[in-house]
Amino acid sequence: MFRVFFLLLMGLLVSSCNKHIFAKAPSPLKKITIAYTFQPQSTLIHVAKEKGFFAEEGLEVVPLMHQYGKTALRSVLENEADLATVAETPLLFSILNDDKIFILSTIVASSQNSAIIARKDAGISKAHHLKGKKIGVTPLTTGDFFLDSLLIANGMTRKDIIPVPVLPDDMEEALKLKKIDAASTWNYPLTQIKHLLGDNGILFFDEDIYTETFNLASKQDFVTKNPEIIKQLIRAVVKAQEFVKNHPKEAQEIMARVTNKTPELIKEVWNSFSFNVTLDQTILITLEDEARWAIKNKLTDKTKVPDFKKFIYADALKSVSPSAYKLNRVENEN
Amino acid sequence: MRIKNQLHTISTLAIIVLIIFISFFILSASRYKTAKSVLNIADEVQIKFFVSTSLRDQYLLYREDRPKEQWVLVNQNLDNLLENLQALKGEDKNIKDIVEAKKKGSALFQRIIANTSLIKSSLPNKQVYSELDNRLISQMYIRHNEFFNGVQEIRSGTEKEVEKTYRNLITAITVLAVILSFIVIFSSWHLNRLISRRLEILHVGADIISQGKLEYRINIEGEDEFSDLATSFNSMTSKLQMNNEQLELERARSVQNAKLASLGEMSASIAHEINNPLSVIQLTNSRLLEKIKKEQLATDTIVHSLEKNQGAVDRINKIIKGLTNLSRDAVNEDIQVFSVENMMEQVLSLVGQKLNYANVELRVLIPPGDLFIESSLTQISQVLINLINNAHDAIANLPEKWIQVEFKLMPESALVQCSVTDSGNGIPPEIAEKIMQPFFTTKEVGKGTGLGLSISKEIIETLGGKFYIDHECPHTCFVFELPKIFNR
């Protein structure tokens, strides 16, 4: 009995020594630059960075912060960053512009993030009152497409209003100075403006007409040359997704800290988003919808809706989280 | 630990194991059943959803009422199924998500239906409504995809749950069977080992005690039922030993009393036996005295007279020695080798005169060259005196009176057989049955103790022999057989 115990003890000691002596030295972290935003749509990237999930996967992430996804994507196209978090609308225009990009994964979806906030003192209390009003919008963004959709849903077209190009961060000031009567925008500016206008503000939204996606995108060249990095990146973001699902309060605290917003604001907009790392039909349908809209409104020279599947790189997601890849199912179903 | 308590512990353990595993089994069975139901409903949901999407697409293609109305019915069925799913899965997030997606999808389809009437109308901006139609259809597809993906996830999750719960059920049954088998085998082995070992000690102890070793004590350690039994057994053996010692003492006393009684019975003849040599001495002395007074006696005459007296004295001595030997307590007498002839001589010195007076002919048959036995001289003498006295009394009134004492050596069995036969006609069977019992006598009151034959039988058996009545003999014949050499 004692002999057996002694042998077991020795075995444990030897295996313990082996672990310490022969443990692999950690390989150096691979440095990548991600262009992302302080918007709630970039929550998974912030959480992955703050919780060290990128480092766990062997990546050293250099953040390149932007106001919104359109500029983040531009920094990728201009080789300032390797990856970007960006909504589908800038991606659409990039594809229509023949940029060689890949969509790696959708990281958030929402049909409640976009809205039009209007000033009541401009005589707006119903959606059709928007007719003839000056509406601030950031061109070629989700706000632009949402504005179009909301007008259509209320029997109007773009011709019925006066669109005013405004940068997202300038919307609040433009409304305050009455340069515009309403603004088509997203969070956090949307909720901040709503609070600012108080009783003078009115929101118009319709969750049946638009589903926004926020995605991870990169240049095709970078992706094909660094498939392992893409896998590591996706793995880290999937870890962040699980963390957000299981520890929403802590994730909100992280977002409040890194974006310098109040926890109340973070909490207020939190439930408008589904933080799922996935590749499903939503991104394809939305891109096709927006492509038709862009072609019809002559926002592009293209006359044909591209095959967006060619711009989706699914290998990494399929490898890391096979159940998150849902494009095949829908193809079969339809 | 007591066996009762050990059995109690084992059964309690088995019951606890049973309760735990039955609970686990019931829980797993319940989960299995629920998962199976969920899977079935999820399958039905999928089928209904395919029907619903088919009707949806038909409507979108032709904008007619028939597929729309059928869609409404299928959609209602789908809602009922989802309600069942919710009832089974409770607050499951995936179910909530698909119910939400289904709700939004249905709302969008209803909105499409409502918008269709605007498209069909003659409104000036109906192109706007056509554009809205496209947007709504896209959003509906998105919701339906969400719903379909959600159902697929629930289905695959439930399939895993079914497999897992099934595995749990099998595991529960297997583990339960293994543990119960182990408990049964271990407890059987343990109890068998415990009981057999202790029973063996009791068995050996009982064997030893049954051989007459009443001083033996069974030693079983512990505090179980067997140690209690051993204690009771030892207590019983102690009492048995005490009673046996008491009985032995009583028997010795009885033997002694019987001897003394025999002596008492023989006292008249013995007194007469002693009286004869005394008369011889007295007469010789008187004649010698008269001759001394009248004349000078020659030395030869004196010597002759004295020798005559000496012979009478020797005879008296012989009788007294026989009496002394017989009256001695022979229970603890040392075993010795003695001559049968000598023994018979002593016996006859005590009973011979009595037989002469009664005109009983005594025949003593001893193998030529005498016979030597290693046994208790005194006790065998006592048996012979008893038997001869009994024979004397039995034939007192018969016309033919003889007693025959015959010794034989039985070489094949190394036994010495002695038969005492008298001229009587045997013992009636009804008396023969009881004649060996203590205190049974056919003699008149005051003439016999009723112990003679029972004591004689016991003496012979104690000396390793047999004592019986020879029923084949036409006369009354008592026989005893003894080992020629005392078996220690």
Side-chain angles (χ1 to χ4, degrees):
Chain A
M1 186 69 191
F2 176 76
R3 204 174 151 190
V4 172
F5 176 74
F6 179 75
L7 284 172
L8 279 172
L9 192 70
M10 289 306 289
L12 278 171
L13 281 171
V14 168
S15 95
S16 168
C17 287
N18 276 343
K19 274 183 192 168
H20 286 94
I21 296 165
F22 304 113
K24 273 170 74 178
S27 47
L29 298 178
K30 294 172 200 162
K31 202 173 190 174
I32 54 166
T33 303
I34 303 180
Y36 57 108
T37 67
F38 289 113
Q39 294 167 283
Q41 295 94 315
S42 295
T43 295
L44 294 185
I45 306 299
H46 285 291
V47 169
K49 174 128 180 61
E50 291 300 309
K51 294 303 293 181
F53 298 143
F54 287 128
E56 277 178 20
E57 294 302 327
L59 297 175
E60 183 192 344
V61 168
V62 177
L64 187 62
M65 302 312 296
H66 287 269
Q67 268 190 39
Y68 58 121
K70 187 180 164 183
T71 54
L73 179 64
R74 192 184 301 146
S75 65
V76 169
L77 296 171
E78 290 170 0
N79 295 322
E80 290 171 7
D82 301 311
L83 296 122
T85 60
V86 56
E88 80 287 339
T89 314
L91 286 169
L92 164 78
F93 287 106
S94 181
I95 291 166
L96 291 174
N97 199 35
D98 295 327
D99 291 330
K100 300 291 179 196
I101 57 163
F102 268 144
I103 300 165
L104 308 175
S105 169
T106 297
I107 55 172
V108 74
S110 172
S111 54
Q112 298 168 1
N113 186 41
S114 297
I116 292 173
I117 177 82
R119 288 187 295 112
K120 284 182 183 171
D121 62 6
I124 304 167
S125 57
K126 294 230 163 48
H128 65 265
H129 292 159
L130 291 170
K131 207 168 187 175
K133 300 293 181 194
K134 287 183 282 183
I135 302 175
V137 62
T138 310
L140 309 184
T141 63
T142 57
D144 200 358
F145 182 70
F146 175 78
L147 171 64
D148 199 72
S149 298
L150 191 90
L151 291 172
I152 289 168
N154 289 280
M156 295 179 276
T157 64
R158 192 173 276 263
K159 290 172 188 166
D160 295 318
I161 59 139
I162 305 163
V164 179
V166 183
L167 287 172
D169 285 358
D170 297 340
M171 291 285 184
E172 186 180 321
E173 188 70 9
L175 272 167
K176 210 163 39 176
L177 298 173
K178 300 187 178 175
K179 288 182 181 171
I180 52 175
D181 303 313
S184 176
T185 189
W186 54 74
N187 283 304
Y188 299 107
L190 180 67
T191 306
Q192 285 173 310
I193 295 167
K194 187 182 88 175
H195 290 158
L196 179 78
L197 294 177
D199 291 341
N200 191 33
I202 184 163
L203 269 179
F204 299 105
F205 68 94
D206 188 339
E207 54 183 297
D208 286 348
I209 55 169
Y210 173 56
T211 301
E212 175 196 340
T213 63
F214 224 66
N215 310 278
L216 268 170
S218 180
K219 286 174 81 172
Q220 290 184 359
D221 186 45
F222 180 79
V223 175
T224 48
K225 283 180 182 166
N226 300 284
E228 198 51 44
I229 287 179
I230 304 301
K231 271 189 202 171
Q232 289 167 300
L233 172 83
I234 296 289
R235 210 174 281 129
V237 179
V238 167
K239 279 185 181 177
Q241 169 198 285
E242 291 305 309
F243 181 83
V244 166
K245 195 183 285 179
N246 298 323
H247 307 93
K249 207 174 167 189
E250 201 180 329
Q252 287 171 30
E253 285 167 7
I254 289 170
M255 282 306 284
R257 191 171 68 245
V258 297
T259 60
N260 205 22
K261 307 286 182 198
T262 64
E264 292 74 23
L265 177 65
I266 305 289
K267 197 177 173 187
E268 193 176 346
V269 304
W270 189 260
N271 289 330
S272 300
F273 301 95
S274 299
F275 300 104
N276 289 322
V277 181
T278 182
L279 274 173
D280 63 9
Q281 202 71 2
T282 308
I283 181 70
L284 290 178
I285 291 172
T286 310
L287 280 171
E288 285 163 1
D289 253 5
E290 293 183 17
R292 281 190 289 271
W293 161 72
I295 292 165
K296 192 178 175 187
N297 290 284
K298 305 212 184 296
L299 301 173
T300 172
D301 298 336
K302 296 280 185 300
T303 54
K304 201 178 163 191
V305 175
D307 180 3
F308 291 106
K309 274 200 78 182
K310 289 181 182 165
F311 297 89
I312 287 177
Y313 177 83
D315 292 359
L317 185 66
K318 276 184 188 173
S319 157
V320 172
S321 176
S323 64
Y325 180 76
K326 295 165 184 170
L327 287 174
N328 284 344
R329 284 183 193 167
V330 180
E331 276 168 3
N332 295 339
E333 188 243 318
N334 284 328
Chain B
M1 196 175 182
R2 299 186 75 77
I3 291 170
K4 188 179 79 179
N5 292 343
Q6 289 191 28
L7 285 170
H8 184 70
T9 308
I10 289 166
S11 54
T12 308
L13 190 68
I15 288 167
I16 290 169
V17 168
L18 263 176
I19 289 170
I20 290 170
F21 277 92
I22 286 173
S23 308
F24 182 69
F25 181 81
I26 290 169
L27 191 70
S28 297
S30 163
R31 281 185 178 164
Y32 177 75
K33 200 181 159 193
T34 308
K36 266 283 196 194
S37 304
V38 170
L39 194 61
N40 291 339
I41 295 174
D43 283 343
E44 273 193 73
V45 166
Q46 268 193 335
I47 293 165
K48 293 285 178 200
F49 177 69
F50 290 143
V51 175
S52 133
T53 51
S54 162
L55 292 165
R56 173 198 73 188
D57 293 343
Q58 265 190 310
Y59 176 77
L60 293 179
L61 196 59
Y62 303 112
R63 308 288 168 146
E64 289 170 348
D65 288 344
R66 198 269 309 159
K68 179 183 76 182
E69 283 159 9
Q70 278 188 295
W71 178 88
V72 171
L73 291 173
V74 174
N75 199 47
Q76 184 58 47
N77 286 342
L78 211 47
D79 284 340
N80 292 341
L81 287 171
L82 289 176
E83 271 178 33
N84 293 343
L85 212 51
Q86 272 185 311
L88 281 170
K89 293 283 276 182
E91 294 294 307
D92 186 279
K93 192 181 175 299
N94 286 337
I95 305 274
K96 274 186 179 173
D97 286 348
I98 64 161
V99 168
E100 190 62 25
K102 160 76 183 50
K103 206 168 135 188
K104 285 181 178 173
S106 299
L108 277 159
F109 189 65
Q110 295 290 357
R111 199 164 164 181
I112 289 165
I113 292 167
N115 193 52
T116 301
S117 60
L118 293 173
I119 296 168
K120 287 179 177 175
S121 72
S122 55
L123 286 169
N125 57 346
K126 63 180 183 183
Q127 281 183 336
V128 175
Y129 296 113
S130 291
E131 185 60 36
L132 176 63
D133 190 61
N134 291 337
R135 303 277 168 94
L136 290 174
I137 289 170
S138 294
Q139 291 302 309
M140 183 180 65
Y141 279 145
I142 289 172
R143 300 298 160 234
H144 282 171
N145 283 322
E146 282 175 6
F147 175 78
F148 179 75
N149 287 333
V151 173
Q152 284 285 83
E153 270 174 33
I154 288 168
R155 213 187 158 283
S156 63
T158 311
E159 268 179 340
K160 284 178 191 161
E161 176 78 7
V162 168
E163 276 174 33
K164 189 181 153 195
T165 48
Y166 182 74
R167 272 202 309 275
N168 285 349
L169 276 175
I170 299 295
T171 308
I173 293 168
T174 311
V175 172
L176 179 66
V178 168
I179 290 182
L180 283 183
S181 304
F182 175 76
I183 289 173
V184 169
I185 291 167
F186 174 76
S187 54
S188 305
W189 172 78
H190 175 66
L191 288 174
N192 179 48
R193 188 170 149 267
L194 188 77
I195 292 171
S196 309
R197 205 177 51 191
R198 289 164 117 65
L199 265 179
E200 182 63 23
I201 297 172
L202 275 175
H203 178 69
V204 169
D207 266 2
I208 292 170
I209 291 163
S210 71
Q211 286 164 16
K213 294 178 181 169
L214 296 178
E215 70 283 358
Y216 183 80
R217 293 293 175 267
I218 296 166
N219 182 23
I220 293 183
E221 289 177 358
E223 291 179 357
D224 60 8
E225 288 81 348
F226 283 98
S227 61
D228 287 355
L229 190 62
T231 307
S232 303
F233 215 86
N234 288 339
S235 167
M236 185 184 78
T237 313
S238 294
K239 283 177 186 166
L240 206 60
Q241 191 184 13
M242 277 169 62
N243 290 344
N244 207 42
E245 283 168 4
Q246 190 67 31
L247 207 62
E248 191 61 29
L249 205 62
E250 288 298 324
R251 192 190 68 83
R253 277 185 196 145
S254 297
V255 170
Q256 188 64 13
N257 288 343
K259 265 195 295 189
L260 293 174
S262 298
L263 285 172
E265 282 173 27
M266 292 187 297
S267 59
S269 60
I270 292 166
H272 190 80
E273 190 71 9
I274 294 172
N275 203 34
N276 275 347
L278 277 176
S279 299
V280 171
I281 293 167
Q282 192 182 22
L283 192 63
T284 308
N285 281 354
S286 298
R287 281 183 186 166
L288 195 63
L289 201 60
E290 277 176 19
K291 282 182 180 175
I292 290 168
K293 282 177 184 173
K294 287 178 187 173
E295 54 187 293
Q296 191 69 31
L297 286 175
T299 308
D300 290 348
T301 308
I302 295 167
V303 168
H304 178 73
S305 298
L306 286 175
E307 280 175 352
K308 207 173 177 180
N309 278 355
Q310 187 58 45
V313 168
D314 285 348
R315 177 152 178 75
I316 290 167
N317 270 342
K318 214 173 189 178
I319 293 164
I320 289 168
K321 193 179 173 189
L323 274 174
T324 308
N325 280 343
L326 193 61
S327 62
R328 198 170 61 221
D329 183 354
V331 171
N332 297 315
E333 184 194 45
D334 286 340
I335 300 298
Q336 56 183 299
V337 177
F338 57 87
S339 148
V340 169
E341 268 185 15
N342 287 345
M343 177 184 71
M344 281 309 296
E345 202 176 319
Q346 279 191 17
V347 169
L348 290 178
S349 73
L350 293 173
V351 298
Q353 198 60 37
K354 182 179 176 179
L355 298 176
N356 277 341
Y357 285 145
N359 289 322
V360 175
E361 182 193 352
L362 180 69
R363 302 171 200 155
V364 177
L365 303 174
I366 296 170
D370 203 358
L371 188 59
F372 291 87
I373 303 176
E374 187 189 45
S375 195
S376 169
L377 171 64
T378 311
Q379 291 191 75
I380 293 171
S381 300
Q382 187 188 343
V383 171
L384 283 167
I385 288 167
N386 273 339
L387 292 174
I388 291 167
N389 277 340
N390 282 349
H392 167 268
D393 293 345
I395 61 173
N397 298 322
L398 294 181
E400 188 188 359
K401 300 173 192 171
W402 55 264
I403 296 171
Q404 179 175 293
V405 178
E406 183 180 13
F407 285 90
K408 282 184 198 167
L409 180 62
M410 302 165 77
E412 68 279 6
S413 54
L415 291 173
V416 171
Q417 188 189 64
C418 172
S419 59
V420 179
T421 314
D422 62 39
S423 53
N425 296 323
I427 302 165
E430 66 275 11
I431 292 174
E433 279 178 16
K434 298 184 264 182
I435 203 161
M436 301 286 186
Q437 291 174 5
F439 305 108
F440 179 84
T441 181
T442 55
K443 294 175 187 172
E444 293 168 25
V445 177
K447 282 203 86 176
T449 59
L451 290 168
L453 280 176
S454 68
I455 287 170
S456 297
K457 185 172 186 285
E458 195 184 321
I459 285 170
I460 295 302
E461 284 174 355
T462 307
L463 292 170
K466 283 198 300 185
F467 187 96
Y468 57 93
I469 299 167
D470 184 358
H471 293 289
E472 288 176 8
C473 178
H475 300 285
T476 307
C477 177
F478 287 90
V479 181
F480 65 83
E481 291 171 1
L482 281 169
K484 188 170 181 293
I485 296 167
F486 184 72
N487 182 10
R488 284 178 172 84

